[in-house]
Structure formats: structure tokens, C-alpha cells
Amino acid sequence: MRDVYIIGTGIHPWTGFSEKVFADFAAVAVDGALKDANIEWKKIQAIMAGIFIYGGNAGHLSGQYLESIFGETGIPVVNVYNACATGSASIRMAYNSIAAGETDTALAFGADVSPKGFLTAKSDNAVQDRDVIRWKMGGLPNPIYWALECRKRMAKYGTTEEDLALVKVLMSEYGSKNPHARFKKTYSLEEVLKSAYVCDPLRLYEICPVSTGAAAVIVTADKDLISKADKAVKINATTMGSAIYGDPTIRISALSCPAVAEAPMLSESYSASQQAYKKSGIGPEDIDVLELPDNSSWHYLVYLETCGFCKEGEADKMLRDGMTKIGGKLPVNPSGGFSSHGEALSAQALWQVIECANQLRGRCGERQVQGAKVAMAQTYGLMGNSGTTIMTI
Amino acid sequence: MDKMANKVARIPNLVDWSTGEVRLMSAKCNSCGTYFFPKEHYQHRPGCTREGVEDVLLAKKGKLASYTVQYYPCPAPFKTEQKITPYGIGLVEFEDEKIQVTGIITNTDLKTLKLGMEMETTILEMYTNEEKQQVVTWAFQAV
């Protein structure tokens, strides 16, 4: 297997809803990535596209749609969907294609224009799609799932409402320094604690909304392109994981979960991260900067445990002791996290990879983690999807 | 159970009251021992032969393993005639079946919710359909 490097990244900053089509956002991100890599479109030998599920035919074949904008060249174009971990799937395919020698240079991208309001059921067949049941009879918007787990955590480990609010305080501070972030206002602990409950114990500022955004990453094994790049970032591992039988987490869209744990919580992310550690030979103790999926403040805490950065029940202490701040032992989400961006389904995992690459390339200005050499991007998507990417410079 | 006459579940095969008690409709795999809810949503143990899956009803009562109070109305396609927000959602554990199931909490003062409290399965009336039937969902209430 060949070594694979990131040589170019591009982002369309995260925003609210838009009348523009998703391909316009994608084009901005891809233009940015080509410029950053200092290469022409014709150098791209494969496109691994995250699909945009609300985009109809164009969205489901987003790679072809994008290729037609930049100019069709006959290269392999594969479209992939793994819910909110779609971006992880696209970069993993790009990596594998290059590492195996099939192609030298590939583009991974995702672009998403979220519909207004909640994301609800996409079919009307309750037998094959339990999402129909949860919306028609369950009364279960996504944050309820997080709140149910959060209350369990509070009872088991003593997580407090102040801990949950502190996550938002940190994320808003970092998000305010990130030009790509959608939300740039900073919040004090008091302000977060005064925000309304959405589903207690989670408050409005402690959950992330849906957003619009696009991200593109160009990866290569071409030595010439690597040497010409502005600090190429090595991908040490990019993996995907699925859930493990007996995972006690109440998973989004599910109506039940096992009462007896036989696997770790969020086992899809345990699986992805363990694979990445094994494949790269890099462990949690080696990571200088971490991007994790803080869909809610609960996620921020539990992900530190799921991915092995501390033992179960110890994440709150890491947070309280300032270990997860920029300048702490393990800076977490210097980007401002999902809390400052919101979810743009097919793009968000790539955006996390790009933040990590930017940190390693020393491009993050006020939110820069000084001397970062090893970074990890961790995401997850509903129904047992997760991806981990470990990068070094 | 006359009061259950003229009631219909919004989606079939989830909640049953034919025995005189409101119970959730599950399926049990007799090979790996796993219970499923909804019953068609199979989640077998890896390596299971998947033979001998049979329809079963979950116990009437369970314990509250977690809960939340939702302060915003659930968006469509969720539908109720009466305003139910804020409403409780419980995760109720059925110990023998080793499964926890979500459900709206009804007929219960939400301030009295406590982890571990005993809950029983019931129904919540959502709206009246064109056939003048009461359309219901499953729900949980404090015992």
C-alpha cells in the first residue's frame, strides 16, 4: 500500500438555509481545494462524492453533477451515503483507491443544503423504515435520543448541567475565531444555563442545528504533487466502523435498545477509532488535536470515552480541568465543533478532516493548536455509521 | 375492554390490547434470545441461525431507565388533536426481555418522574380519523 497525502482542501463556509443549489456550494469548495493543491481539474483521476439526499436525482448522483460543472473527463465517479458519516466514506474510498494503486490523485467531496426545520421521515413504509414509526407515533425528534442518554450519564457519572453548558462556552469561544463557522457569538456559562430546555437536560445552546455547507479534499500519492504542495498532510488511517451487537445506546431512529450492555456505547465509533489506532500505530495518547462530533454537549463528553481518551465517566473531569482547551493536554474541537457549525450531512466529516489538516499546516490563526503534529477527526451518523481519520505532518 | 372499542393504532403491529391489557408487540428470536421492537426490526446476535422467531407481547410493566421532557411540539408527520407539549418521553426497561423501549409518557405528573420508577404500557389518543375512530399510539404511565 502506498502512502497517501492531503494536498488541497476547500470549504464553503457553513451557513443557514439557502436558495442556491448544492452544486454551487460544492463548486466553491472544489475550486478552493484545486487552488490549495495548485493543480488543474484534469489531474483528478477519481471522484468519491458524498450524496445530498434532499437533492433528488442530482443529489443522489452528486459526483456526476459536479463533474459536469468542472468538465467531464471519463474518470470513475462513485456516490456514497453513510448518513452524517458520509464524508468519512468518501475520503476512505479515495484513500483506498490511491493506496491500492488504482489512481494517483482523487477528490472527496460533500455538499449539503439542509431543508428548513427538522429532518423527518423520507418514506411512508413503516415496516421497512422505522423512521416512519418514530415520527408518526414516537414523537421523537433527534435531540430526544441525546437527552435520554444524557440523563443516564448524569445519574451514572454525576455529569452536571454546568458541565453541559461549559462545553458550549468553549465551543462558542473557538467558533467565534473560525471564519468557516456559522455561529460566531460567544456565550457565558450563565447565558447557556439560561437558555430554554429543548428536551431536558439539554438546552437550546447545547444541541446543534442543521446547516448548509460544502467541503472538498484532494488526496494523492503523486510524489511530484506532494513535493509542490504547501505542507502535505499524511493520512495514517481513515476507517469506518459500524455498530456492535449489544451496544446499549438508544440509536437515532430506533424505538428500542438492549437493556444489558454487551458492547461499548456508540460502538460504531468505538469500532472506527479502534481500527484507526491499529492501522496507524497511533494511539489516543499520541493525538495533539481532536475533532469530535459534538451534536450535543453529551456527545462531547461521551466521545472522549468512546474513543479511548479517558476511562468511562472521566470526561467531565477532563473538561473541568481544562485538559480539552486549546493549550490543554488534548485540545478538542478548536474549530468550534458542530455547536458552531451545525450539521451539513454529507460535508461535515470532510470539514472535520479539513480543520485537522489546517491545524497541522499551522493555518488556524487565533484558534491554532501550537505545534500540532498528529490530528484525529471522528464523526458518526445515524443507524450505526462512523468514521475516523488520523493525520500527521 | 369496552373503552378500547373504536380505537385504532396509527401504524399496525406495534401495540396490542386484544388480551384485555395494553402490551407492546415484540418478536423473540428463539435461537439468539434477542427481543425486537418493532417486531420486524431484527437485530440478531452475530452467528445466530435466525430460526424460530415468534411474535410475543412484552410485559405490561417495566422500569423507567431514562426520560426527558420535550418542550417543543414534535413536527409533522406527528399529529395530535390536543396540545400535548411539553410532553414526557420515557425509555422503559422490560427486565425479563432485556429490552428498553421509548414511548410518550401520559397520565403522569412530569415533575414526579424518577429513574427506576415503575411504568405500565398504555395508549395515547392522538386524533379522530375520517371513520370517526380514535387513532392512538402506545405510551407509558406511572403505576
Side-chain angles (χ1 to χ4, degrees):
Chain A
M1 299 286 269
R2 301 190 291 175
D3 285 345
V4 179
Y5 289 81
I6 294 170
I7 54 167
T9 68
I11 282 184
H12 184 292
W14 261 229
T15 69
F17 312 106
S18 172
E19 299 306 317
K20 282 204 278 185
V21 297
F22 79 97
D24 292 337
F25 290 89
V28 170
V30 172
D31 270 330
L34 290 167
K35 194 175 168 195
D36 183 27
N38 197 24
I39 64 169
E40 290 178 3
W41 172 250
K42 287 179 186 170
K43 284 280 186 188
I44 302 295
Q45 297 170 1
I47 299 172
M48 307 305 183
I51 76 162
F52 169 45
I53 55 171
Y54 294 97
N57 204 33
H60 297 162
L61 297 164
S62 61
Q64 275 74 13
Y65 197 24
L66 180 95
E67 190 196 19
S68 72
I69 292 169
F70 282 83
E72 294 169 333
T73 53
I75 58 176
V77 177
V78 182
N79 303 288
V80 63
Y81 181 63
N82 284 77
C84 298
T86 294
S88 305
S90 65
I91 196 165
R92 177 179 172 277
M93 288 196 306
Y95 173 96
N96 283 341
S97 170
I98 295 167
E102 181 196 43
T103 53
D104 291 326
T105 304
L107 168 70
F109 92 94
D112 226 289
V113 180
S114 291
K116 283 186 183 174
F118 287 85
L119 310 175
T120 63
K122 291 160 211 72
S123 84
D124 201 29
N125 184 331
V127 176
Q128 67 186 22
D129 183 5
R130 65 188 173 185
D131 221 23
V132 176
I133 303 171
R134 74 129 158 167
W135 286 110
K136 283 193 169 177
M137 288 176 76
L140 290 163
N142 290 5
I144 285 182
Y145 289 90
W146 311 334
L148 290 171
E149 287 298 346
C150 192
R151 187 175 308 280
K152 280 186 178 178
R153 178 181 179 88
M154 291 167 93
K156 195 171 178 185
Y157 298 125
T159 300
T160 66
E161 295 216 19
E162 285 73 18
D163 294 331
L164 302 176
L166 182 54
V167 173
K168 176 63 182 180
V169 173
L170 282 182
M171 292 300 91
S172 71
E173 184 191 332
Y174 300 159
S176 74
K177 297 169 181 166
N178 185 349
H180 300 139
R182 175 178 167 193
F183 303 106
K184 298 197 173 72
K185 185 180 180 320
T186 59
Y187 292 91
S188 68
L189 199 67
E190 292 69 28
E191 285 171 316
V192 180
L193 287 170
K194 274 185 192 159
S195 72
Y197 283 122
V198 171
C199 40
D200 73 340
L202 293 176
R203 297 173 186 276
L204 183 62
Y205 296 150
E206 295 166 355
I207 58 174
C208 82
V210 290
S211 287
T212 287
V217 178
I218 295 169
V219 286
T220 191
D222 182 323
K223 288 192 168 61
D224 185 41
L225 298 186
I226 293 165
S227 67
K228 283 181 189 160
D230 174 22
K231 296 180 193 151
V233 172
K234 185 179 177 185
I235 298 178
N236 298 75
T238 184
T239 59
M240 293 208 74
S242 59
I244 301 172
Y245 177 90
D247 176 347
T249 319
I250 180 76
R251 227 175 280 162
I252 288 183
S253 90
L255 298 155
S256 66
C257 59
V260 179
E262 294 185 42
M265 288 204 66
L266 294 165
S267 57
E268 60 272 49
S269 297
Y270 173 82
S271 308
S273 59
Q274 289 298 319
Q275 285 180 55
Y277 298 146
K278 192 174 170 196
K279 195 170 174 192
S280 64
I282 290 168
E285 64 285 355
D286 304 315
I287 306 293
D288 296 326
V289 56
L290 171 67
E291 284 288 328
L292 55 72
D294 58 318
N295 298 58
S296 74
S297 291
W298 167 72
H299 291 80
Y300 182 103
L301 295 168
V302 71
Y303 260 93
L304 292 170
E305 298 163 7
T306 294
C307 297
F309 291 96
C310 61
K311 290 185 185 139
E312 263 188 54
E314 291 181 353
D316 314 84
K317 189 172 186 314
M318 283 183 74
L319 172 73
R320 290 171 203 159
D321 291 351
M323 288 168 71
T324 60
K325 284 183 174 178
I326 294 173
K329 186 165 177 281
L330 176 71
V332 173
N333 292 3
S335 65
F338 290 5
S339 172
S340 303
H341 289 73
E343 292 198 88
L345 304 192
S346 65
Q348 62 204 43
L350 289 173
W351 152 71
Q352 290 180 302
V353 166
I354 294 173
E355 172 70 13
C356 287
N358 283 338
Q359 287 287 349
L360 297 177
R361 295 164 114 181
R363 296 176 171 183
C364 289
E366 285 184 277
R367 68 181 198 286
Q368 179 66 43
V369 174
Q370 294 304 325
K373 300 282 183 213
V374 187
M376 173 166 148
Q378 174 67 47
T379 196
Y380 94 126
L382 90 172
M383 279 193 80
N385 284 292
S386 181
T388 305
T389 302
I390 294 177
M391 294 148 271
T392 54
I393 201 154
Chain B
M1 215 173 179
D2 289 336
K3 67 172 185 178
M4 299 306 290
N6 205 36
K7 287 187 178 25
V8 59
R10 188 166 180 195
I11 296 169
N13 296 322
L14 293 161
V15 56
D16 176 84
W17 51 82
S18 64
T19 63
E21 279 187 328
V22 182
R23 311 256 295 266
L24 291 170
M25 298 168 75
S26 173
K28 181 193 181 187
C29 173
N30 284 309
S31 297
C32 69
T34 312
Y35 284 75
F36 313 123
F37 183 81
K39 65 194 178 86
E40 298 94 350
H41 193 80
Y42 306 128
Q43 291 181 288
H44 291 280
R45 182 182 290 275
C48 174
T49 59
R50 309 196 312 280
E51 286 166 3
V53 175
E54 62 171 337
D55 287 357
V56 292
L57 297 176
L58 294 182
K60 167 90 174 152
K61 292 176 184 171
K63 290 209 162 98
L64 193 61
S66 190
Y67 64 91
T68 179
V69 178
Q70 168 76 10
Y71 286 87
Y72 292 86
C74 186
F78 191 75
K79 183 164 94 171
T80 57
E81 252 155 35
Q82 306 292 324
K83 176 180 175 285
I84 65 162
T85 310
Y87 61 95
I89 289 274
L91 190 57
V92 170
E93 178 162 332
F94 297 91
E95 197 178 350
D96 289 346
E97 296 91 337
K98 300 187 179 67
I99 191 171
Q100 296 181 353
V101 179
T102 65
I104 294 172
I105 296 172
T106 188
N107 301 325
T108 304
D109 179 357
L110 298 177
K111 291 192 191 74
T112 65
L113 294 176
K114 241 176 95 176
L115 296 182
M117 72 191 280
E118 196 171 31
M119 305 292 283
E120 64 181 4
T121 312
T122 183
I123 52 129
L124 171 73
E125 293 180 355
M126 304 178 86
Y127 58 90
T128 309
N129 66 13
E130 286 175 359
E131 289 80 41
K132 306 290 180 203
Q133 294 170 305
Q134 274 294 319
V135 178
V136 305
T137 184
W138 79 92
F140 298 118
Q141 63 188 11
V143 175

